[in-house]
Amino acid sequence: MAAEHLVWRELTAEEKHILEVGHDDSNRNMKDQICFEKQRMIIPRTYLKFMDDMYNFPVKKDDIWIVTYPKCGTTWMQETVSMLINNVDQEYGKLPQIFRSPFLDIDTLMDGNEKGEGLQVPEDTPDFMKKMMEEFSKGVIPFARKMSGRRVLKSHMSFDFLPPNLEDKCKVVYVARQPKDCIVSFYHHSINMPLHGYQQSLSTFAEEMMKGVVLFGDYWKHLESGWKLRNHPNVKFIWFEDMKKDSKKVIEELSVFLEHPLSEEKVDQLVHHVSFDVMKLNKTANPSAMMKLPEEKNFMRKGQVGDWKNYFSGPELEKIDNWIEENKKRTGIQLPE
Ligand code: PPS
């Protein structure tokens, strides 16, 4: 089945310019992007190769899809869910998270990336994992299709791009984060990750977020696609901020939602396992290890609520706040306190 509702256009001269000057040459996919206007999705052209396979991905009833706009708590949720449904088994947790919970869009970002930077297998990797990596490198979608057991799949694409009526077919967890922290986190990710090669200031990045001219497009369009489904019985809509406030409560709710009961002891173990400091040191859960990132570029940066206060003030803050207010009014979305 072709994804006929997914109509794309070339970027305008202004959009092209933003991406062209915004990125160095470390990943040409960041400069060569297209726009799906209706969804306000901006994505490397390479997505066109994977679009139909993604849309037609065979969903299983016991799948769990984690759908998020970037930097909203995806990795944290992937670790939580994949360990929850495996009874917080530490042996299972030794498998790198990318194998336990593959990122279905990763080939779009990496495809044809000549420098090949990104995921690297450490020398001491056991043979069975090298084999998994080999399979993974051939294509994440085929890899995910072949996964056995209950699958935990991650995507940053909004719902129009995912298998149709996904929420009727399996469980979906949508994680959202308030926009100012998302901007700050996304900016740092974009300058720190070799796959991105962003080279402008935070102020410029914030402007681009407000225009929706960043990888994975418009924050609000994406959030709206999850917000609309928040009352669906197969969808769990979770704020990053609520995970911070009471991670135990969220885990208990997830355990009910995913129909996977955990003892009180296991819940406590999981709360500990996914706490920021523990996850930061966990080489299989923190993507920094596989990317061989130096400490100052750690993927697990701060993990805080309200970090934006260290970056935005004055007229810039006013502009961002106006953007937020307008979009809240337009969409009816209620952000967390
Ligand atoms: S990505 O690259 O889009 O998948 O990033 P994503 O995982 O969605 O978001 C990364 C941010 O989440 C923070 N994080 C956590 N915060 C608190 N506790 C835990 N366990 C945790 N794990 C990840 C991570 O630090 C990024 O946020 P910032 O604000 O940049 O620190």
Side-chain angles (χ1 to χ4, degrees), residues 46-88:
T46 45
Y47 186 67
L48 297 174
K49 278 197 207 173
F50 307 106
M51 182 166 83
D52 285 349
D53 286 348
M54 186 70 167
Y55 190 68
N56 295 308
F57 188 94
V59 178
K60 291 190 197 157
K61 200 168 177 287
D62 67 351
D63 276 352
I64 304 161
W65 285 58
I66 297 180
V67 182
T68 67
Y69 188 77
K71 309 320 287 178
C72 289
T74 332
T75 315
W76 189 5
M77 184 54 74
Q78 288 172 277
E79 191 63 18
T80 305
V81 168
S82 93
M83 291 304 276
L84 191 160
I85 61 163
N86 285 284
N87 304 315
V88 207

Side-chain angles (χ1 to χ4, degrees), residues 68-80 97 103 154 156 175 177 181-182 184-189 193 196 216 240 243-244 271-280 285 287 291 298-305 307:
T68 67
Y69 188 77
K71 309 320 287 178
C72 289
T74 332
T75 315
W76 189 5
M77 184 54 74
Q78 288 172 277
E79 191 63 18
T80 305
Q97 195 196 72
F103 175 24
K154 155 183 170 178
H156 285 320
V175 191
R177 187 178 193 183
D181 281 337
C182 179
V184 170
S185 180
F186 203 175
Y187 166 72
H188 283 98
H189 182 93
M193 300 294 137
H196 290 256
F216 294 107
F240 179 101
M243 288 159 77
K244 277 302 280 191
V271 170
H272 175 75
H273 180 87
V274 298
S275 60
F276 184 83
D277 293 340
V278 172
M279 237 180 94
K280 184 170 182 175
M291 294 182 187
N298 206 301
F299 179 94
M300 303 279 297
R301 196 182 59 90
K302 287 192 186 169
Q304 289 170 3
V305 173
D307 185 37

Side-chain angles (χ1 to χ4, degrees), residues 192-255:
N192 286 340
M193 300 294 137
L195 261 176
H196 290 256
Y198 189 71
Q199 55 185 5
Q200 304 285 352
S201 66
L202 172 60
S203 294
T204 304
F205 189 80
E207 287 291 333
E208 293 165 4
M209 278 282 289
M210 286 189 271
K211 288 185 181 135
V213 188
V214 293
L215 181 66
F216 294 107
D218 187 80
Y219 168 91
W220 295 99
K221 266 283 179 202
H222 201 298
L223 179 53
E224 248 186 304
S225 83
W227 180 257
K228 280 186 190 147
L229 293 173
R230 74 193 182 287
N231 296 321
H232 191 290
N234 275 347
V235 177
K236 184 86 183 148
F237 184 102
I238 299 179
W239 288 104
F240 179 101
E241 290 73 12
D242 289 335
M243 288 159 77
K244 277 302 280 191
K245 205 188 292 168
D246 193 343
S247 123
K248 183 166 181 172
K249 182 163 172 258
V250 170
I251 288 170
E252 284 168 344
E253 286 175 9
L254 278 170
S255 152

